[in-house]
Amino acid sequence: MVKLLQSLPPEYVTMHLVNKIRNNPIIRSANGGYSWRLKIKQIGDDYCFVDGWNNVVKDVQLGFGDFLLFKLVDQSTFRMSIYSPDGCEKILQPKSDQNGCEKIIDDDDEDPFFVKTFTKSHIRRLRFPKEFAAKAGINCEGTMRVKNLDGDEWVTDVKLDTTFRTKRYLLSSGWWSFRRGNNLSEGDKCVFKFIKSERKLLLAKVTKKK
């Protein structure tokens, strides 16, 4: 259970809920492609999400000290962003479709990202998923800056992958230095996010192979 709008005067919350928000809204994660339908219940002066909140906690693996930001999208939908205790937004593992393939996420104004598990083929190049490249606007050869969460940047070359009949793009020159500089090795699972406002690729998360 989580309290909703608890910092606002109760009379304002009551009016806002009655006029704007349905009793069984949908919560959508800001990234990762998750959604849940919950109920809103008044407990004393507070309004709380109930009936399904435990599923939210489990699916996004909320930890002690994490804090949440809810944005009301429409009368029946909240967008939920999750932040760790140090203030950094959490990037959720994308949900899989029925075939077990990882989806490329681009919710409204959110930056698209993809997940890649490193193999030997990624030592000197990184191939972009076709759908990700389309959402990020990667449609020609050139250069791209790739950065990590520390703000360190590497200049890489974007090349057309000629091994496919359809247009596919990859990072070539400069990628090897980025991989070495961030100690990425076979079996590591990485989340790459394209920051549209900067036109840069961010290594947002790394899960090291055990």
Side-chain angles (χ1 to χ4, degrees), residues 78-209:
F78 285 93
R79 174 176 291 169
M80 179 182 72
S81 300
I82 307 169
Y83 295 86
S84 57
D86 61 5
C88 295
E89 184 177 2
K90 286 190 171 184
I91 304 298
L92 303 180
Q93 178 73 24
K95 293 189 70 175
S96 297
D97 61 19
Q98 294 179 349
N99 297 319
C101 299
E102 290 170 329
K103 295 182 178 180
I104 307 303
I105 308 299
D106 184 21
D107 293 333
D108 299 334
D109 61 341
E110 294 298 319
D111 296 322
F113 65 90
F114 66 95
V115 179
K116 185 78 73 174
T117 299
F118 271 64
T119 65
K120 291 181 179 179
S121 65
H122 300 121
I123 293 178
R124 294 190 176 277
R125 63 186 62 191
L126 176 70
R127 182 176 290 111
F128 294 126
K130 184 179 179 180
E131 185 180 351
F132 168 84
K135 291 182 181 295
I138 302 171
N139 53 20
C140 63
E141 295 187 332
T143 61
M144 179 180 294
R145 289 186 176 272
V146 186
K147 66 179 184 178
N148 57 26
L149 288 175
D150 293 328
D152 301 321
E153 296 186 1
W154 287 257
V155 178
T156 60
D157 286 342
V158 178
K159 295 293 185 181
L160 181 65
D161 188 349
T162 57
T163 61
F164 286 84
R165 292 183 179 180
T166 58
K167 281 189 175 182
R168 297 285 294 274
Y169 291 91
L170 53 80
L171 295 181
S172 57
S173 299
W175 168 251
W176 185 86
S177 296
F178 176 84
R179 184 188 61 81
R180 286 288 300 272
N182 290 276
N183 193 31
L184 302 179
S185 55
E186 188 175 354
D188 292 348
K189 181 176 289 187
C190 302
V191 179
F192 290 95
K193 185 174 185 178
F194 187 75
I195 310 300
K196 292 180 179 179
S197 61
E198 301 178 5
R199 301 294 300 174
K200 296 177 182 178
L201 186 68
L202 170 67
L203 176 60
K205 182 178 180 181
V206 179
T207 303
K208 302 294 291 183
K209 179 182 178 182

Side-chain angles (χ1 to χ4, degrees), residues 39-51:
K39 290 185 178 181
I40 295 176
K41 182 178 180 180
Q42 184 176 3
I43 301 177
D45 291 334
D46 296 316
Y47 287 83
C48 306
F49 287 128
V50 296
D51 293 355

Side-chain angles (χ1 to χ4, degrees), residues 55-101:
N55 293 331
V56 180
V57 174
K58 180 180 178 180
D59 289 346
V60 303
Q61 299 181 351
L62 285 181
F64 182 78
D66 290 347
F67 60 97
L68 311 175
L69 176 64
F70 295 92
K71 178 182 178 181
L72 185 61
V73 179
D74 54 41
Q75 290 185 337
S76 61
T77 308
F78 285 93
R79 174 176 291 169
M80 179 182 72
S81 300
I82 307 169
Y83 295 86
S84 57
D86 61 5
C88 295
E89 184 177 2
K90 286 190 171 184
I91 304 298
L92 303 180
Q93 178 73 24
K95 293 189 70 175
S96 297
D97 61 19
Q98 294 179 349
N99 297 319
C101 299

